[in-house]
Amino acid sequence: ISFVVSLFSICHASIVHLETYPDYTGDISVVGTICVMDSDGGIEIEGTLGGLEENVTGGIHIHEGYSCDEADDVGAHYFEGMDVDPWTTNYESDENGVSYVSFSMESFSLYADFPVAKRALVIHSEDGTRIACGLLDLAVCISCPTAYRHLLFGTMGAVCC
């Protein structure tokens, strides 16, 4: 048991549970959980998305707003105080409309410089339409070795690793 415990550690993160974007009336129905964790020099964004268009590339970005209740509340990409919009980040879906995302963003943090906690995370379709939104809520998550990442996301969607 001590070997298993030593493989895993507890971390603080923000968990995003996605819902349909306000005012979106299309046929794409995104589901998924995204975890945002502090890392050295920035944040790590990891998770699983489903219900996407099949075999496409679309956007995944943190926006400046603190609400997904109304489209106007979500705002634009969050990069206040930076010279250039760094949110060129994308997902790639497979033939089943599923995407496993994992990328890092320098300079951002959960609560320190360029804080993203409580902000809106938005999923864009291939044509750029905003199709899903969720807030980065504070959570405690499990951090684990790379070999187990997709296993835990697949069986325990709210567990971050």
Side-chain angles (χ1 to χ4, degrees), residues 22-52:
D23 300 336
Y24 175 70
T25 59
D27 295 332
I28 304 168
S29 183
V30 178
V31 295
T33 302
I34 302 292
C35 178
V36 180
M37 300 169 283
D38 275 322
S39 65
D40 292 336
I43 55 174
E44 296 287 329
I45 299 174
E46 298 180 0
T48 304
L49 302 171
L52 300 163

Side-chain angles (χ1 to χ4, degrees), residues 30-35 45-53 56 58 60 89-103 123 146 148-157 159 161:
V30 178
V31 295
T33 302
I34 302 292
C35 178
I45 299 174
E46 298 180 0
T48 304
L49 302 171
L52 300 163
E53 301 159 285
V56 301
I60 176 172
T89 50
N90 293 311
Y91 64 83
E92 291 186 17
S93 65
D94 64 15
E95 66 277 359
N96 298 309
V98 174
S99 178
Y100 301 101
V101 295
S102 180
F103 60 91
I123 305 299
T146 303
Y148 298 100
R149 289 182 194 274
H150 295 301
L151 173 66
L152 289 177
F153 269 118
T155 59
M156 300 164 60
V159 174
C161 60

Side-chain angles (χ1 to χ4, degrees), residues 36-134:
V36 180
M37 300 169 283
D38 275 322
S39 65
D40 292 336
I43 55 174
E44 296 287 329
I45 299 174
E46 298 180 0
T48 304
L49 302 171
L52 300 163
E53 301 159 285
E54 299 171 358
N55 297 309
V56 301
T57 299
I60 176 172
H61 315 117
I62 294 176
H63 284 237
E64 61 193 4
Y66 293 99
S67 174
C68 291
D69 291 339
E70 295 183 28
D72 289 342
D73 295 340
V74 178
H77 293 175
Y78 172 59
F79 65 103
E80 181 180 338
M82 296 179 167
D83 294 331
V84 178
D85 181 353
W87 294 104
T88 58
T89 50
N90 293 311
Y91 64 83
E92 291 186 17
S93 65
D94 64 15
E95 66 277 359
N96 298 309
V98 174
S99 178
Y100 301 101
V101 295
S102 180
F103 60 91
S104 28
M105 294 294 294
E106 293 181 7
S107 301
F108 292 97
S109 69
L110 286 175
Y111 292 100
D113 295 335
F114 304 107
V116 299
K118 304 289 185 183
R119 293 188 187 276
L121 184 134
V122 175
I123 305 299
H124 298 262
S125 66
E126 181 179 37
D127 69 5
T129 301
R130 295 177 181 191
I131 56 176
C133 186

